[in-house]
Amino acid sequence: MKILKYFLIIFIFLNSPIKADSNEAMINELQKGGKLIFIRHAYAPGGGDPSNFNINNCETQRNLNDEGRVQSKKIGNFFNQNDILINKIYSSEWCRCKETAEIAFKNYETKNFLNSFFSAKFAKNRKQQVIDFNKFLNTWDQKQNIIFVTHYVVISELLNYAPSSGEIVISDKNLKVIDTLEIEY
């Protein structure tokens, strides 16, 4: 039993610096600028949206709960505490994304190409949203970081990556994932 505890302690100590080094490398990359930063909206219990969903009425949508609001604050704190400069923050028009952006960063702008196309009601928009996103990307100066607060389906479509709620996914201009960071709620 003593040997098992000994190996467990060594395992914990060996893995902790690796994750810290990984975070430090990621922070250094972000501080250089020129990154696309995708953030899946913070924790909003459930899945999809109710059948009576109305983009102009948050009461009809799946929204952040208190844990999601705390997670949003932690997302903003990560960027502030690590002196990561952001040129622009863009959000989906869905209330859970806008609330995440508002709590984390204060100033943001909505873009409909970041909207969810999860439900059948919006699935037909997927192809055009990807086209519109790529057009937008062609106007990016590639020198400064930009943030996209969006949905699981958008991130998985663009980056071929499945993010958790509130997860930060960093990519280069070619939409190649560089690193990720899960923010707990």
Side-chain angles (χ1 to χ4, degrees):
M1 191 65 168
K2 271 186 158 180
I3 292 174
L4 181 61
K5 286 181 182 178
Y6 177 74
F7 282 116
L8 182 61
I9 290 169
I10 289 174
F11 178 76
I12 290 169
F13 280 108
L14 286 177
N15 281 326
S16 295
I18 292 169
K19 185 63 179 166
D21 289 347
S22 172
N23 283 347
E24 189 175 321
M26 175 187 58
I27 290 165
N28 288 338
E29 279 300 306
L30 288 169
Q31 288 172 338
K32 290 178 189 176
K35 304 298 181 290
L36 300 171
I37 303 164
F38 294 83
I39 301 173
R40 181 180 176 194
H41 61 78
Y43 184 64
D49 282 297
S51 58
N52 66 335
F53 171 87
N54 178 337
I55 198 165
N56 297 312
N57 184 350
C58 293
E59 292 178 14
T60 66
Q61 300 179 35
R62 180 169 61 99
N63 295 299
L64 303 185
N65 66 1
D66 289 339
E67 292 169 312
R69 290 181 192 94
V70 168
Q71 186 181 37
S72 298
K73 186 72 174 158
K74 288 179 181 180
I75 291 167
N77 288 343
F78 169 78
F79 288 93
N80 288 332
Q81 291 169 354
N82 292 294
D83 297 319
I84 298 166
L85 297 178
I86 305 299
N87 183 36
K88 292 273 189 173
I89 295 115
Y90 299 102
S91 172
S92 157
E93 296 173 310
W94 267 231
C95 292
R96 58 186 172 270
C97 291
K98 293 190 301 186
E99 187 174 11
T100 300
E102 171 69 29
I103 292 169
F105 306 108
K106 305 285 183 265
N107 299 314
Y108 67 93
E109 181 180 325
T110 59
K111 294 288 184 186
N112 63 6
F113 58 71
L114 296 173
N115 290 351
S116 178
F117 42 79
F118 176 76
S119 71
K121 181 178 179 179
F122 299 102
K124 66 186 180 305
N125 299 337
R126 182 189 61 80
K127 187 176 179 180
Q128 187 61 51
Q129 284 180 227
V130 171
I131 290 168
D132 292 346
F133 177 83
N134 287 322
K135 285 180 184 175
F136 175 85
L137 206 53
N138 288 333
T139 67
W140 175 48
D141 73 7
Q142 299 182 19
K143 294 177 184 152
Q144 298 179 319
N145 294 321
I146 55 176
I147 288 180
F148 302 104
V149 181
T150 188
H151 305 267
Y152 174 94
V153 292
V154 175
I155 295 171
S156 61
E157 176 74 22
L158 295 172
L159 303 178
N160 196 29
Y161 180 82
S164 299
S165 294
E167 186 169 3
I168 299 168
V169 184
I170 300 108
S171 84
D172 64 13
K173 64 181 177 169
N174 299 313
L175 301 176
K176 180 181 177 275
V177 174
I178 297 169
D179 210 340
T180 65
L181 178 66
E182 287 190 50
I183 304 291
E184 293 183 18
Y185 57 86

